[in-house]
Amino acid sequence: MAWRLLVLVPFLLTAVSGNTAPFFNMTVVYVPEDLELGQYAFQLQATDLDGDKLTYSIGETFYFSVNSQTGNVTLRNYLDRETLPRFTVAVSVFDGVNEPVSRQLTVIVEDRNDNAPVFQGLPYQASIPENMTLNSTVFTVFANDSDTGDASKVSYSIREVIPDSKNNLWLFYILPNGKVVLNGSLDYARNTFYQLKIFAKDGGGLLHNKLVFQESWTYLSLTILDLPNLDPQFLNEPYSGSVPENCDLGTTVLTVTAMDRDTGVNDEISYSIANASIPFAIDPKTGTITVSEPLDREQLPSEKVLLEVKAREENMDIHGKVAQASTLVTVLVTDVNDNKPQFYHCSLPSCNFSTSAQNNFRGSIIEHSSSRLPVSNLSIVAHDPDEGINSSYELHLQGPNASAFTVSPPKIAGTGEVQLLVQNPAAVDYEISHVMMVQIVANDTGNPTDCCSTATVTIDLIDSNDHIPEFPQSTYNLNVMENCPDGTIIAPNITAYDPDSGVLGEITYQLLPETIHTIFTVNATTGTVLVQNGSLLDRETRSIYYANLQAKDGGNLVGTTVLEITVLDANDMVPIVTGSYFISVEEGQNISTQIRAIDNDEPGSPNSNLGFRILPGPFSENFTINETTGEMHSKEPLDREALEDEQGRMVVTVLVYDHGVPQLNTSANVTITVGDLNDNAPVFLNQSYEFSVFEDSPGSFVGQVQATDADRTEINYRISFLLQRGSGSSNFLIRSSRLGLGHYGGQLSVDPDMSLDYDSMQQKFFSLVVQAENTAADVGDTADVSVVVHILDVNDEPPSVLLPSPGNVHVSENNTQQGLVLTLVASDADTNHSLVFEELEVACFKGTISAGEVCWDWFVLAPNGSVLVNSSDIDYELCDVVELTLRAEDLYTEKGNRYSQNETLRILITDVNDNTPLFLPISETFVVVPEVSPVGLQVATVKATDADSGLAGTITFSVASVVLVEDNGASQLLDSLFNVDAMKEGDTYVGTIRVASNLDSSLKGQYQLTVEARDGGLPVHTAQTVLNIFAVDQSYRVHLQFMETVDKVQTNSERIKAALTTATKAGVYVAAIRSTEDTRAPQVEAKSVMEAYFVYSNGTALDVNQLSVLIQTDPQILAELVNLGLAVIGPGEVVKPTRETELIGIIAGLAAFLLIFILIVTLVLVLTTKSYKRKLSAMKALKAATTFSPAMAQQGAGIPGTNQYNAEGANPMLNLSIDPSHDLGFHEDSVSVASMNSLDENTVNAPADNNPGDKQGQVQLTDPSDEEVLVAALNGKEPTKMAYINTTFTTTDL
């Protein structure tokens, strides 16, 4: 009722006063704190029932100002919610009649994300031990954000770690509560400090209608505290030193140094030597190693002594262990010459010089041995334990027989073998003396006090060999048994005799040839002949062997005798059964057969006499055999059913043996196949059968009955099963299958065309009779058995899915919708069921085109049917339709389809304006000619796309700014020169840039247009691009003077433009075509002027000089332009002379005329004499001008009318090189090199202008018909007269 009373108040006031005062309808307004100055904040709204004009005012003028007529309030000073979240202002309204009405209006400042998080308690620094454990909290930071909502929620991250951020960034991580946690191991030796750059970022919020995330950062400085956790380390490794042997005790070798790697601890270090029994000591404090015992290098195991030096810290490490390190020190003990050479009886390298030296040696040599032959059996080694030069010594001989021998080598360093060599063979004579003696002296010249050692050598002389061994007989006949054991003696006493003594009389024996050694051998000392390999002695292969027995004495003299060895027979051949024995017989019959065999031993001997018998076996009692002849018979008729073998085979093994010693034998298998007869009926394995089967299961297996038949062949034991006709038998089928030999099964199944319904049956079972029949019997052999089949109930109905109506579901992109989308429902007709949902496939589409796999994880289907949003990456621009293929499953299904039909749920993705327009790359160059660019002319285009759809994807273009960048680098901002309109081509928007107002043709430079693309969605997205449009100014305007009227030039303008385009390959822009009355054309009597620009697509333009060069290099175009009336090419700017200038020009012209007249009179005489030659030269020039191509014209002097060259043969005006082979012949001598050019006036003579008197300063031939030749050449015609006049463009302006 309160609001009704408020409505009645104005009416009551009207009834009292006649005019009611206005009143406000507002008490609270909301203003965002990011509002810009001058922007609309809110509107004061009041109601006046009389309809009076209202005037608004506001008492708060610091923050706001109000439009008194509209009530619109705008911002004067910035708001800050964090400083002033809300305040009141006094507002009033006046209707011009009643007193002003005032009230207090509450202004609530809405929060915007305009504050970044601020770290508290700075600076952040801490010290942590290097053994801090993993996942320990290192430090806790805190940043406060004074905004509200998500914008006040601060998250932290570590984005940089100093030093080595790339490898150390993982070493720390920060929790959402600001705790910095150690994620790895610290090491003071690696880094003594870390500086972490920590960022604090808010949850984001709106600022100026855009989602903004604010962040700030600070550094956390961490100092690593060193702990004693590292062993000490030796410096300057490896260590090595040297000291001479026999040096004084206490001599310093070297000093080792170690340091504590825990540099922050720097513990005291002591040194020690770990080796035992070494002649060195170390100072525990300084590490200096000294000699502690007398040194003798020769007594040491090696001249290099390895010391293991340990460095130990005074205190334990953090683990309670000794902190120590070790290193190897190599000490080299150098040699002193304090030993003399000694002799030893040994051979290198197996000598042991630690034993006592020897002075007496004995050797031998054959008498009269050759010179330099060494004494044998003599092992002498000389050794000096000193080293280097101290170990060098000399050897020489002395004694009674020293002249017969020499010592080798004469000098030795260290250790060497010593030999005595024959020096005088004649003196070494066994008949003179059996023994000789010499002394070897070793002299160390570097040690005169104890220099020499002496060795006495006794030499035994050896006699020579002069007798040959002899055998008593020349031939020996021997016997051996074949296959005898290895080592069997064949001949024990075959020996030879040699009267020589000693080694020369010792005989060794050998069998020849070498090939017989595989079978026989001989004792090399006694001559006994033996069997080497008895297995190779086979009488049946070879019965006689021949060999030579050789006897050799110690001097290699040889005697021989012949051995004939006969091999005796042994029983070693096994009997061989000939033929194979396979016999077939029907059951109930007897068999008879004979076994045949041979033996390859010696015929007629017991070794080849054979006997036969049957070996014990399954069927050995069924047969007998004759022991001598091998005839075998069955004892009784054979029965097929008594045999277990499937094929009815009987195998009897017969042994064939000989009568030799040892007895040998072989065996042969006799296979008898017994044929089967059908003489047995089928028999069921059970007296009855009982089975069960589920309802509604056509074709299902019910059970199996089994029967057997005792016959042994398939045709006789094959069984088939039949169902006897009866109640329910038509519902079933039975199929026979073989299970084994004579064993068959009948698989009973439901007829595939029948469906059994448990609920419609009165009796829940069927009684059947199954018959087994032997199919091969002439008279039906059958057997019957009863079968009961019980019918069981099943869960056999599939579930169904109920999709929502309509079938499409809408979900917004960009995580704007989360959680549950909808819940699906499924049903099942079975009473006992459990339904779950299953997702089969996800299909992603953008329009009608597949989007691949991009949406596969956007949604998830729970087993209970809930469809949930599963991703924050839903993007309409990638995929706008998601099709979920799903089905429901009945977990309790027992039979049939447990799954529903596959259903498709379509989820439509709703677009959100989240894409900014994108300008396509611009590859074109844009050019504008201001003078010929009317309003509305298209000068450039831009293209842009927007991935959004609908209105959000619609793009409009605008020109944001136009800046003219002049050639001198200056720039100026211009307005309203260009506009842009947009049109859509497919998915792309094309912006056409057009001229909006007349352009200033005097400006030089390029226009830089900033074009803005704006989409149509909310929030609005914009993008900008900058275009460069090159402006061609008036300095590039060219005047083309024509001998034709304005109308005629306008009529031929397209032909003229086409010719100019062909010559220049540039765009031709015609600014104007006007009469020469408006211009000055003093050189020719032109009738019209065409003003044009020549511009290329890259923004460059041609000036008059460049245009002249291009036209003159193309004779065909030049001729065409002349035919069209072209006379003169001049610059674009023509300055109109003043009256004073004209007067001066007239006076100068008269003076020039008099001067030229005098010159002409003088030159006429000279030119007349050369007239004939010049005509010929002109004809040559004509020929060259009409035949040269444009490319050739650019390389030579083939431009018609040109006769001016410099001394180098090039055209100085066109700066083109001249090919001497193309000389036109204009300069006959040095005088002709000077310029007499007809081009100096920059004119083109029209074909009709043949009056030579009209042009002063122009040299012409006297024959007036010469002009016709050039005109015909330019027109591509045959000349009617053989004359030439040199007229074309001048090169002066070039």
Side-chain angles (χ1 to χ4, degrees):
M1 294 299 293
W3 68 272
R4 295 180 180 177
L5 293 176
L6 291 174
V7 173
L8 291 176
V9 168
F11 294 97
L12 293 177
L13 294 174
T14 303
V16 175
S17 63
N19 187 290
T20 58
F23 60 92
F24 284 100
N25 295 327
M26 53 195 307
T27 58
V28 179
V29 292
Y30 295 87
V31 181
E33 65 172 329
D34 62 344
L35 201 65
E36 295 293 337
L37 299 182
Q39 286 189 338
Y40 169 82
F42 56 90
Q43 184 180 17
L44 296 179
Q45 294 180 345
T47 302
D48 191 300
L49 299 179
D50 301 315
D52 297 330
K53 184 177 180 181
L54 301 182
T55 301
Y56 297 94
S57 63
I58 191 168
E60 171 59 66
T61 60
F62 179 76
Y63 286 111
F64 303 109
S65 61
V66 63
N67 186 314
S68 60
Q69 303 301 318
T70 63
N72 288 337
V73 179
T74 56
L75 191 67
R76 294 187 62 187
N77 284 291
Y78 288 107
L79 299 174
D80 187 4
R81 187 203 64 84
E82 289 72 31
T83 304
L84 186 64
R86 63 184 296 163
F87 58 93
T88 58
V89 296
V91 296
S92 63
V93 59
F94 178 56
D95 62 357
V97 178
N98 298 287
E99 291 295 326
V101 177
S102 300
R103 72 167 304 160
Q104 293 294 321
L105 184 64
T106 301
V107 179
I108 298 178
V109 182
E110 292 181 327
D111 186 38
R112 290 294 184 267
N113 189 16
D114 59 342
N115 290 281
V118 178
F119 285 96
Q120 307 296 316
L122 294 175
Y124 292 152
Q125 54 190 12
S127 298
I128 57 176
E130 65 174 332
N131 65 339
M132 176 175 278
T133 58
L134 189 68
N135 296 324
S136 298
T137 299
V138 175
F139 194 81
T140 301
V141 302
F142 175 71
N144 181 52
D145 194 315
S146 55
D147 292 318
T148 61
D150 288 341
S152 66
K153 298 177 181 178
V154 180
S155 61
Y156 303 94
S157 63
I158 300 174
R159 300 188 189 175
E160 182 181 355
V161 176
I162 300 173
D164 196 5
S165 181
K166 180 178 180 181
N167 295 321
N168 290 331
L169 188 60
W170 63 271
L171 192 58
F172 303 92
Y173 66 91
I174 190 166
L175 298 176
N177 59 4
K179 290 186 176 181
V180 179
V181 180
L182 181 64
N183 193 38
S185 60
L186 302 175
D187 188 353
Y188 180 88
R190 186 170 64 244
N191 283 311
T192 60
F193 79 97
Y194 292 96
Q195 195 171 40
L196 281 60
K197 192 173 186 179
I198 300 177
F199 280 77
K201 182 178 181 181
D202 62 22
L206 290 177
L207 181 63
H208 303 302
N209 294 324
K210 293 184 179 179
L211 180 62
V212 175
F213 294 88
Q214 300 275 13
E215 65 180 12
S216 59
W217 59 270
T218 187
Y219 279 109
L220 168 61
S221 298
L222 298 177
T223 301
I224 310 302
L225 300 178
D226 194 15
L227 297 176
N229 63 336
L230 298 175
D231 291 332
Q233 182 179 14
F234 281 95
L235 305 180
N236 303 320
E237 291 184 292
Y239 292 103
S240 62
S242 64
V243 64
E245 63 176 334
N246 302 329
C247 67
D248 297 334
L249 298 182
T251 300
T252 299
V253 180
L254 56 85
T255 300
V256 298
T257 305
M259 64 170 288
D260 187 355
R261 287 193 293 163
D262 301 312
T263 57
V265 178
N266 198 18
D267 200 356
E268 189 78 18
I269 295 177
S270 60
Y271 303 93
S272 62
I273 297 178
N275 306 60
S277 302
I278 57 171
F280 298 98
I282 189 169
D283 189 299
K285 297 296 183 181
T286 65
T288 300
I289 300 174
T290 57
V291 177
S292 61
E293 297 178 10
L295 293 178
D296 186 356
R297 190 192 66 82
E298 289 75 25
Q299 298 301 321
L300 294 174
S302 171
E303 64 181 2
K304 292 183 180 181
V305 180
L306 291 178
L307 307 180
E308 183 182 0
V309 178
K310 290 188 176 181
R312 173 174 176 173
E313 295 182 11
E314 182 178 357
N315 300 306
M316 298 289 184
D317 62 11
I318 59 173
H319 306 294
K321 297 181 179 179
V322 176
Q324 61 181 9
S326 62
T327 186
L328 291 178
V329 178
T330 303
V331 180
L332 177 64
V333 180
T334 59
D335 184 45
V336 175
N337 192 1
D338 55 355
N339 294 279
K340 67 178 181 179
Q342 299 282 350
F343 294 98
Y344 296 86
H345 188 279
C346 61
S347 297
L348 294 178
S350 58
C351 292
N352 182 7
F353 299 117
S354 62
T355 60
S356 300
Q358 295 183 357
N359 297 323
N360 294 303
F361 300 89
R362 195 176 193 94
S364 61
I365 192 169
I366 299 174
E367 62 176 332
H368 306 302
S369 294
S370 301
S371 177
R372 304 296 297 175
L373 191 69
V375 176
S376 59
N377 299 323
L378 190 64
S379 298
I380 303 176
V381 173
H383 171 68
D384 189 329
D386 291 323
E387 189 178 39
I389 193 172
N390 297 332
S391 65
S392 297
Y393 50 93
E394 298 177 350
L395 298 176
H396 65 274
L397 294 181
Q398 63 184 18
N401 303 117
S403 61
F405 300 92
T406 184
V407 64
S408 177
K411 291 184 178 181
I412 296 177
T415 303
E417 291 186 347
V418 180
Q419 288 184 321
L420 290 180
L421 307 179
V422 175
Q423 181 171 285
N424 185 3
V428 183
D429 190 350
Y430 182 82
E431 285 71 29
I432 297 174
S433 174
H434 297 332
V435 177
M436 302 180 75
M437 184 175 295
V438 295
Q439 289 180 331
I440 304 174
V441 178
N443 181 16
D444 185 351
T445 58
N447 187 9
T449 57
D450 188 12
C451 65
C452 303
S453 297
T454 303
T456 301
V457 180
T458 302
I459 304 170
D460 295 320
L461 300 185
I462 301 172
D463 194 9
S464 300
N465 182 26
D466 53 358
H467 291 87
I468 298 175
E470 293 182 1
F471 286 97
Q473 297 178 212
S474 60
T475 302
Y476 292 87
N477 295 318
L478 307 175
N479 295 322
V480 64
M481 183 67 68
E482 68 172 331
N483 296 325
C484 64
D486 297 346
T488 301
I489 297 174
I490 302 175
N493 54 358
I494 301 177
T495 58
Y497 171 73
D498 189 322
D500 289 326
S501 61
V503 176
L504 297 177
E506 295 179 358
I507 297 175
T508 57
Y509 298 90
Q510 183 180 6
L511 279 179
L512 296 175
E514 294 287 341
T515 55
I516 206 168
H517 289 176
T518 59
I519 303 175
F520 302 103
T521 187
V522 64
N523 188 307
T525 303
T526 64
T528 302
V529 180
L530 309 170
V531 174
Q532 176 71 21
N533 189 349
S535 62
L536 299 179
L537 291 174
D538 185 3
R539 187 201 63 81
E540 290 73 26
T541 302
R542 183 174 179 179
S543 59
I544 297 177
Y545 292 89
Y546 293 94
N548 290 329
L549 180 60
Q550 183 186 81
K552 181 187 295 185
D553 64 12
N556 290 328
L557 298 179
V558 176
T560 59
T561 186
V562 176
L563 304 181
E564 181 181 305
I565 305 172
T566 301
V567 181
L568 304 178
D569 186 37
N571 189 21
D572 58 348
M573 301 303 295
V574 177
I576 300 174
V577 176
T578 60
S580 58
Y581 300 91
F582 296 92
I583 303 169
S584 297
V585 63
E586 293 291 339
E587 64 176 327
Q589 298 181 5
N590 290 313
I591 67 158
S592 177
T593 187
Q594 183 176 12
I595 309 302
R596 301 182 183 276
I598 60 174
D599 193 308
N600 289 326
D601 283 323
E602 188 174 358
S605 67
N607 294 339
S608 61
N609 186 19
L610 302 180
F612 303 88
R613 70 171 180 272
I614 296 175
L615 294 178
F619 309 105
S620 58
E621 298 299 326
N622 296 50
F623 300 91
T624 60
I625 193 169
N626 187 300
E627 293 184 357
T628 302
T629 63
E631 292 182 357
M632 188 178 77
H633 304 277
S634 58
K635 294 181 179 180
E636 59 184 11
L638 303 177
D639 184 8
R640 176 67 174 79
E641 283 72 34
L643 303 178
E644 297 294 334
D645 185 72
E646 183 178 356
Q647 303 297 327
R649 287 191 294 259
M650 303 174 68
V651 179
V652 179
T653 302
V654 176
L655 184 70
V656 181
Y657 55 91
D658 61 19
H659 292 81
V661 178
Q663 190 180 72
L664 301 179
N665 60 73
T666 187
S667 62
N669 288 334
V670 180
T671 303
I672 302 101
T673 302
V674 181
D676 185 39
L677 297 178
N678 189 8
D679 53 359
N680 293 280
V683 176
F684 280 98
L685 299 185
N686 294 341
Q687 293 182 352
S688 63
Y689 293 90
E690 190 168 354
F691 306 117
S692 61
V693 67
F694 288 103
E695 67 167 330
D696 193 19
S697 55
S700 297
F701 175 74
V702 177
Q704 178 175 263
V705 298
Q706 298 183 34
T708 60
D709 191 307
D711 291 320
R712 304 308 294 169
T713 57
E714 183 177 2
I715 192 171
N716 293 328
Y717 64 60
R718 185 184 296 120
I719 300 173
S720 65
F721 297 92
L722 302 173
L723 279 174
Q724 296 285 11
R725 292 185 178 273
S727 176
S729 63
S730 61
N731 294 318
F732 300 93
L733 300 176
I734 192 167
R735 184 176 62 87
S736 302
S737 64
R738 178 181 172 185
L739 304 179
L741 295 177
H743 185 191
Y744 282 77
Q747 286 78 33
L748 185 64
S749 61
V750 179
D751 191 330
D753 297 329
M754 302 299 295
S755 179
L756 303 178
D757 189 0
Y758 178 85
D759 299 323
S760 63
M761 295 174 57
Q762 276 189 333
Q763 291 184 337
K764 310 301 181 183
F765 64 89
F766 293 96
S767 295
L768 308 175
V769 175
V770 177
Q771 183 181 81
E773 179 182 9
N774 188 327
T775 58
D778 295 336
V779 179
D781 291 336
T782 62
D784 296 335
V785 69
S786 64
V787 178
V788 177
V789 181
H790 297 275
I791 307 303
L792 305 177
D793 191 15
V794 296
N795 181 350
D796 54 1
E797 294 295 332
S800 61
V801 177
L802 304 178
L803 290 178
S805 180
N808 296 334
V809 179
H810 295 268
V811 175
S812 298
E813 67 170 332
N814 292 346
N815 201 24
T816 55
Q817 182 174 344
Q818 299 180 353
L820 180 66
V821 177
L822 80 160
T823 300
L824 298 174
V825 178
S827 62
D828 193 312
D830 292 322
T831 56
N832 184 23
H833 62 263
S834 176
L835 304 182
V836 294
F837 285 87
E838 178 183 4
E839 181 182 297
L840 300 178
E841 183 182 5
V842 180
C844 313
F845 296 93
K846 180 60 180 176
T848 59
I849 302 174
S850 173
E853 305 174 0
V854 67
C855 69
W856 281 15
D857 62 343
W858 289 1
F859 303 96
V860 64
L861 175 61
N864 64 353
S866 297
V867 180
L868 305 172
V869 175
N870 189 45
S871 173
S872 61
D873 299 330
I874 298 177
D875 191 349
Y876 173 87
E877 285 70 36
L878 298 179
C879 168
D880 58 4
V881 177
V882 180
E883 292 187 355
L884 298 181
T885 303
L886 52 92
R887 66 183 179 186
E889 178 185 4
D890 185 356
L891 299 179
Y892 293 167
T893 299
E894 300 175 58
K895 180 185 176 184
N897 188 6
R898 65 191 304 120
Y899 300 100
S900 69
Q901 292 185 353
N902 295 346
E903 301 290 348
T904 300
L905 175 65
R906 285 173 55 88
I907 302 177
L908 304 182
I909 308 301
T910 304
D911 190 19
V912 175
N913 189 21
D914 58 345
N915 289 278
T916 301
L918 176 64
F919 279 97
L920 301 182
I922 300 174
S923 59
E924 302 173 74
T925 302
F926 302 115
V927 182
V928 62
V929 181
E931 190 174 79
V932 294
S933 298
V935 174
L937 176 68
Q938 176 181 334
V939 295
T941 58
V942 293
K943 295 183 180 180
T945 61
D946 194 310
D948 293 318
S949 63
L951 188 60
T954 303
I955 298 176
T956 57
F957 297 97
S958 62
V959 177
S961 65
V962 178
V963 177
L964 175 66
V965 180
E966 299 181 16
D967 291 343
N968 58 8
S971 62
Q972 55 178 309
L973 184 63
L974 304 175
D975 293 326
S976 305
L977 289 184
F978 301 94
N979 58 25
V980 58
D981 51 49
M983 65 178 294
K984 187 175 183 182
E985 295 181 358
D987 294 331
T988 304
Y989 284 84
V990 179
T992 302
I993 313 297
R994 301 185 185 275
V995 177
S997 62
N998 292 327
L999 303 178
D1000 188 351
S1001 61
S1002 64
L1003 297 178
K1004 298 183 179 181
Q1006 58 179 331
Y1007 294 99
Q1008 289 186 349
L1009 274 69
T1010 302
V1011 181
E1012 182 177 88
R1014 177 185 297 265
D1015 64 18
L1018 290 176
V1020 176
H1021 295 291
T1022 62
Q1024 290 185 345
T1025 187
V1026 177
L1027 296 180
N1028 291 323
I1029 302 179
F1030 296 91
V1032 180
D1033 61 86
Q1034 288 181 337
S1035 64
Y1036 291 95
R1037 185 170 58 186
V1038 178
H1039 280 199
L1040 304 174
Q1041 298 183 19
F1042 288 84
M1043 304 300 296
E1044 303 291 344
T1045 64
V1046 173
D1047 294 338
K1048 189 68 175 290
V1049 173
Q1050 287 179 343
T1051 302
N1052 296 330
S1053 62
E1054 293 303 319
R1055 293 178 57 192
I1056 295 172
K1057 289 171 61 178
L1060 293 172
T1061 301
T1062 303
T1064 62
K1065 304 298 186 295
V1068 181
Y1069 297 86
V1070 178
I1073 301 175
R1074 58 179 179 266
S1075 173
T1076 56
E1077 296 175 357
D1078 301 329
T1079 63
R1080 293 184 61 85
Q1083 297 180 354
V1084 294
E1085 295 180 359
K1087 298 179 179 180
S1088 61
V1089 174
M1090 175 184 287
E1091 298 179 0
Y1093 294 85
F1094 297 84
V1095 184
Y1096 289 99
S1097 60
N1098 63 356
T1100 61
L1102 294 174
D1103 58 18
V1104 61
N1105 298 331
Q1106 296 167 336
L1107 177 63
S1108 298
V1109 171
L1110 291 176
I1111 291 178
Q1112 292 183 58
T1113 57
D1114 194 338
Q1116 293 182 354
I1117 297 299
L1118 175 61
E1120 183 177 356
L1121 291 173
V1122 171
N1123 287 335
L1124 293 173
L1126 178 64
V1128 178
I1129 300 176
E1133 298 294 339
V1134 178
V1135 181
K1136 188 173 184 179
T1138 63
R1139 184 174 300 274
E1140 292 78 6
T1141 305
E1142 291 180 351
L1143 182 59
I1144 295 172
I1146 292 172
I1147 296 173
L1150 293 174
F1153 176 78
L1154 293 175
L1155 179 62
I1156 293 173
F1157 179 78
I1158 297 171
L1159 291 175
I1160 290 176
V1161 171
T1162 304
L1163 291 175
V1164 163
L1165 298 175
V1166 178
L1167 294 177
T1168 302
T1169 60
K1170 299 180 179 179
S1171 175
Y1172 181 73
K1173 291 182 179 181
R1174 289 183 59 82
K1175 286 183 180 181
L1176 292 178
S1177 299
M1179 292 303 298
K1180 290 169 64 178
L1182 171 64
K1183 182 178 181 180
T1186 57
T1187 58
F1188 284 175
S1189 67
M1192 295 170 60
Q1194 294 177 9
Q1195 297 174 0
I1199 300 174
T1202 301
N1203 62 356
Q1204 184 170 1
Y1205 297 81
N1206 61 14
E1208 287 77 17
N1211 189 332
M1213 300 306 164
L1214 298 179
N1215 196 24
L1216 299 175
S1217 61
I1218 297 299
D1219 188 347
S1221 64
H1222 295 159
D1223 188 0
L1224 302 182
F1226 277 96
H1227 52 284
E1228 306 171 62
D1229 48 30
S1230 60
V1231 178
S1232 299
V1233 175
S1235 176
M1236 297 174 63
N1237 194 356
S1238 63
L1239 304 180
D1240 291 340
E1241 292 300 320
N1242 193 25
T1243 62
V1244 177
N1245 292 336
D1249 189 7
N1250 56 5
N1251 187 2
D1254 292 341
K1255 297 176 177 57
Q1256 298 180 3
Q1258 181 174 343
V1259 179
Q1260 297 183 350
L1261 300 180
T1262 57
D1263 191 346
S1265 63
D1266 289 346
E1267 179 185 357
E1268 186 177 345
V1269 179
L1270 177 60
V1271 174
L1274 295 177
N1275 290 331
K1277 303 177 181 179
E1278 293 293 333
T1280 58
K1281 295 182 179 181
M1282 294 301 294
Y1284 172 78
I1285 184 168
N1286 184 18
T1287 57
T1288 183
F1289 290 108
T1290 73
T1291 58
T1292 302
D1293 293 332
L1294 299 183

